[in-house]
Every structure is written in C-alpha cells, then in structure tokens.
Amino acid sequence: MSLDPSVEAALDSGQIKRFDLIRFDLPGKSVGYHRGGRLYTYNGLVYYPNRWLQTGGMNSALGVAVTTRTIVFSNVPTANPDDAIATLESYEYQNAPVIIAHLAGDPVTDQVLGILASSIYEIDQVSYQKGAAGENGERTLTISIDLQPPGRSARGATLVKRSPAEQNFDNSANDTSLEYVAVNAQWPLEWGQRQG
C-alpha cells in the first residue's frame, strides 16, 4: 500500500499527529471510538471519546494459531443509548468486523491528511472485569475484546471455513462447495469394487 503524498510529506518533515480510530460493524449498527476527548466524525461515522483504553499488541504463536489482538474499553455501563460497547451482549457480535485505523494529521490544525495504517479483524471473544464499587454501590466494567484476522488469512492457517457466505467472499460469489457441509457426514459411502 502506498501512502498519500501529503502523508509522506508530513512523515518526512517529522511533524505529524496520529489519530487512532476503531470501528465496530455489529449486526444492524456501526459504532466508532477514538482516544480523544470529544466526539469526532470521520467518513460519516461519529466516533465516541475516552473509552478505548488500549489498542492492544498483536500476539502470535507457532503452528496453526492465528495472530490475535486484544483491545480494552472502560466505563461500562454508560447512559448513552447509542453506545454499542456498553450493551455488546445484546448484539450477535461473534465474528463482527472491526477496523482499527491510524490516521495522520497536521499537529497544528488537527486536519486529517490521510491513513497511516488500517487493519481489519473479527471479534473472537469478549471478557469482562468488574471495577470497584462507587459511592452509590454501582460498579463499572472493563471489557477486553479478543480480535482475530478475518477470512482466509485466519482460516488458511487453521484449514477451517465457517460458512458458505465466507467461502463466497473468499473465492467466488457462485461457489457452492460448502452447500452440503452440514449433512454430508450422514451420507453412506461405498468402498471397494462394486459387484456387477
């Protein structure tokens, strides 16, 4: 991937500001977060502030394990009804796409110059840690979300396809190779020579 010329110029000058964004495309809802202090709009999506604690390093292993990443959010629950992370369990979040983007910006004007890097993941699993009780007895949660690479990049290593839709996405829209996967184990197989 080549960088936008304005991003390259900013990098060469050494004067750059980085904006970290994360977008969740949950079933029926897209929601974004960033590490700034106020609402931020990028490409038509409003990104909520101050919740995304850790961008998470990538973890990998030998063998058939895939590269994963864990991200951490805080301050759950929240009063904002549009905050999907606060009500994540109400969505079918398993395998939902997650895009982590790092934008380059002008440090004086905060103008976005372009994209430094962007990674696409899927939600693998979610875990919750309880915080201390406040004055009114309520507790907040910290959410850790484990991500894994989507599609062929992950399952090429594990040799697993999860659905015909993913097979069509990775190969061809007309691919029907997984059409009978759920029932083929029940079909009798003939071995050896047939008696004529």
Side-chain angles (χ1 to χ4, degrees):
M1 176 179 110
S2 62
L3 294 174
D4 185 278
S6 60
V7 174
E8 284 188 22
L11 288 171
D12 290 341
S13 74
Q15 299 296 314
I16 196 167
K17 182 173 184 175
R18 190 178 89 179
F19 301 96
D20 297 321
L21 305 177
I22 187 164
R23 175 185 175 132
F24 293 86
D25 289 321
L26 300 165
K29 185 175 191 72
S30 292
V31 63
Y33 299 90
H34 75 109
R35 301 182 80 188
R38 60 185 182 275
L39 293 175
Y40 179 73
T41 303
Y42 181 72
N43 278 351
L45 182 66
V46 175
Y47 287 79
Y48 296 107
N50 292 333
R51 301 279 308 294
W52 181 18
L53 292 182
Q54 297 174 9
T55 58
M58 292 203 227
N59 303 315
S60 62
L62 297 174
V64 298
V66 297
T67 301
T68 62
R69 188 173 194 170
T70 301
I71 54 176
V72 179
F73 287 82
S74 69
N75 194 27
V76 176
T78 181
N80 183 354
D82 293 326
D83 189 345
I85 289 298
T87 58
L88 190 59
E89 292 301 325
S90 65
Y91 294 92
E92 293 290 331
Y93 63 79
Q94 189 76 33
N95 303 323
V98 176
I99 301 171
I100 298 177
H102 307 286
L103 308 180
D106 185 307
V108 176
T109 65
D110 286 343
Q111 173 84 24
V112 172
L113 303 173
I115 298 174
L116 284 171
S118 180
S119 303
I120 299 176
Y121 296 94
E122 290 178 348
I123 296 176
D124 181 28
Q125 59 186 358
V126 174
S127 58
Y128 300 89
Q129 293 83 37
K130 287 183 182 177
E135 292 177 4
N136 58 2
E138 290 184 358
R139 296 179 184 267
T140 59
L141 296 174
T142 299
I143 301 177
S144 295
I145 303 173
D146 293 336
L147 306 174
Q148 66 181 359
R152 177 170 289 174
S153 61
R155 290 178 299 284
T158 59
L159 306 177
V160 173
K161 290 285 183 188
R162 287 195 287 250
S163 74
E166 289 181 349
Q167 178 75 4
N168 293 357
F169 176 80
D170 285 339
N171 295 297
S172 163
N174 300 321
D175 190 335
T176 60
S177 64
L178 294 179
E179 186 174 357
Y180 298 107
V181 132
V183 294
N184 70 354
Q186 301 164 1
W187 294 345
L189 298 176
E190 294 185 16
W191 295 93
Q193 297 178 341
R194 289 185 179 202
Q195 298 293 326

